[in-house]
Amino acid sequence: MADLVGGGRSKVSNIRLVQPAGSEDDVVMRGRIAQVRLREGLFLHWTDAIEMQDLAFQSVQSPGITAVLFLSGGADVVIGDRDVGFGTHDAERAGSDLKGVVYSQAHVDGFTRHTARGERVRKVVVTMQPEWLATGGLSEIPGYGAVDGFLKRSGEMIGWKPSARLIRAVEQILNPVPYGPGLLPLYLESRAVEIAAESLEAITREHLPAERRGMGARDHQRLARIMDYVEAHIDQPLELTAIARDVGLSVNTLQRLFRAAHDTTVLNYVRARKLDRAHDALRRDGISVAEAAFIAGYSNAANFVTAFKRAFGGTPGEARRRR
């Protein structure tokens, strides 16, 4: 196993043989297996090898969210007292049944993996520990509450169908471009983050309304572009025709897609966002009510006060005094 990250050797740590097969051969796996720390709290593990013995490996599972993708082979795993299966031991079904699995671990627990002699295993595992989730800016994204709740419910597991792009990312990790030692970690991290993003999306999608849960990757990309456009132009008058043109949708399709995602219209969402910004400015900076009305897009202060009270249960003046 190569030294991929400066100062940190790629290895599988805290693993010991607990069930010898009785063979004189001490070769456990033949192929490539590695584990690297890409960032504080972000780990990447991959295997492209043939199991040489029927064995059981034991390690310790740290708290975090783990995404597992098997391109071939499978694993029978015990985490704590839970029996878990990843991938498939049926080589003929591996391609058609390819599925990603993301699971939560709220506390340190034992981890045992059983291997089957002669099986070809090609897998990638990305582990996101709480410190990486907390410092990566993820808490600011819509739907992060679902991720946080998932992490706290130890043992929860969600499966999802990986996108074609993600499968390519897994293949690129297993067969990396021959970069030098300085660039290879960056290359691997970019692929690992793709896996992390899609697995976290699977968690948030599980908690979405049924009508949005069935959206495809293209719809999610369009929604992301809509939100990017809205946030970039939040201080300007927004027109549905301009947003639809930027995203490449009709106005009707834009409205339908947005309502399915956010259970409101685009314009109502924009009004709420502007009121949030005005509320934050009152609390944080102590601006005047007239300035807050301008931020919220109201030319009439009385209308602004009415809308503000409806949204926050108090007047702008009261919010300003609580700064």
Side-chain angles (χ1 to χ4, degrees):
M1 288 174 274
D3 187 3
L4 297 177
V5 180
R9 182 165 298 279
S10 76
K11 61 183 180 179
V12 180
S13 59
N14 301 321
I15 293 182
R16 62 187 179 88
L17 182 63
V18 295
Q19 184 182 329
S23 170
E24 296 296 325
D25 189 355
D26 62 356
V27 176
V28 175
M29 302 181 78
R30 179 163 287 133
R32 296 182 299 115
I33 176 171
Q35 178 170 303
V36 293
R37 181 176 72 89
L38 300 169
R39 297 267 175 171
E40 186 67 32
L42 180 64
F43 293 84
L44 171 65
H45 165 76
W46 74 90
T47 300
D48 188 354
I50 297 175
E51 310 277 11
M52 303 304 294
Q53 300 189 38
D54 295 324
L55 301 171
F57 292 101
Q58 190 175 77
S59 65
V60 174
Q61 184 83 4
S62 298
I65 294 176
T66 300
V68 183
L69 294 107
F70 274 78
L71 293 188
S72 67
D76 298 318
V77 172
V78 178
I79 304 175
D81 58 357
R82 307 187 309 276
D83 291 320
V84 181
F86 297 121
T88 174
H89 297 290
D90 187 339
E92 293 183 359
R93 293 178 54 199
S96 60
D97 288 355
L98 183 62
K99 185 174 75 170
V101 174
V102 58
Y103 67 91
S104 62
Q105 189 69 31
H107 49 77
V108 175
D109 214 337
F111 179 98
T112 303
R113 176 178 177 266
H114 299 271
T115 69
R117 183 173 184 171
E119 186 169 43
R120 173 77 180 276
V121 174
R122 302 181 73 234
K123 75 174 189 291
V124 168
V125 179
V126 174
T127 299
M128 299 155 272
Q129 294 181 345
E131 54 265 38
W132 184 79
L133 292 167
T135 60
L138 299 177
S139 60
E140 302 300 322
I141 64 174
Y144 182 74
V147 174
D148 189 51
F150 181 80
L151 176 59
K152 293 174 181 175
R153 295 189 295 275
S154 193
E156 188 162 346
M157 186 172 296
I158 293 173
W160 89 97
K161 183 71 174 175
S163 66
R165 177 177 176 177
L166 200 69
I167 295 170
R168 286 196 297 272
V170 172
E171 289 282 9
Q172 289 165 350
I173 290 172
L174 295 175
N175 301 283
V177 173
Y179 285 120
L183 291 178
L184 184 55
L186 186 61
Y187 174 88
L188 293 172
E189 183 178 353
S190 68
R191 274 64 186 171
V193 169
E194 282 194 55
I195 294 171
E198 193 164 304
S199 65
L200 294 178
E201 183 189 23
I203 295 171
T204 58
R205 190 186 309 125
E206 188 74 9
H207 295 82
L208 290 174
E211 61 270 19
R212 188 181 176 190
R213 207 176 300 161
M215 289 182 181
R218 190 178 182 189
D219 285 337
H220 285 285
Q221 291 169 0
R222 286 169 167 171
L223 280 168
R225 288 184 62 189
I226 292 169
M227 297 305 294
D228 287 344
Y229 186 97
V230 168
E231 292 300 327
H233 299 82
I234 196 72
D235 292 323
Q236 306 167 22
L238 281 168
E239 296 182 359
L240 291 178
T241 52
I243 303 173
R245 184 170 56 249
D246 182 79
V247 183
L249 297 172
S250 69
V251 171
N252 286 340
T253 302
L254 167 69
Q255 290 279 55
R256 177 183 56 77
L257 191 63
F258 196 90
R259 181 176 285 280
H262 300 285
D263 196 29
T264 189
T265 67
V266 176
L267 295 181
N268 282 340
Y269 175 86
V270 170
R271 291 190 191 100
R273 280 287 291 118
K274 288 186 173 183
L275 280 170
D276 284 340
R277 283 158 53 89
H279 179 268
D280 290 345
L282 285 163
R283 293 287 303 274
R284 182 185 62 244
D285 304 322
I287 64 173
S288 68
V289 174
E291 289 172 313
F294 177 79
I295 290 173
Y298 286 82
S299 57
N300 185 297
N303 290 342
F304 167 65
V305 171
T306 299
F308 193 95
K309 289 176 66 176
R310 187 182 303 118
F312 302 108
T315 67
E318 290 169 341
R320 186 172 184 270
R321 287 192 290 273
R322 290 197 299 267
R323 61 176 298 219

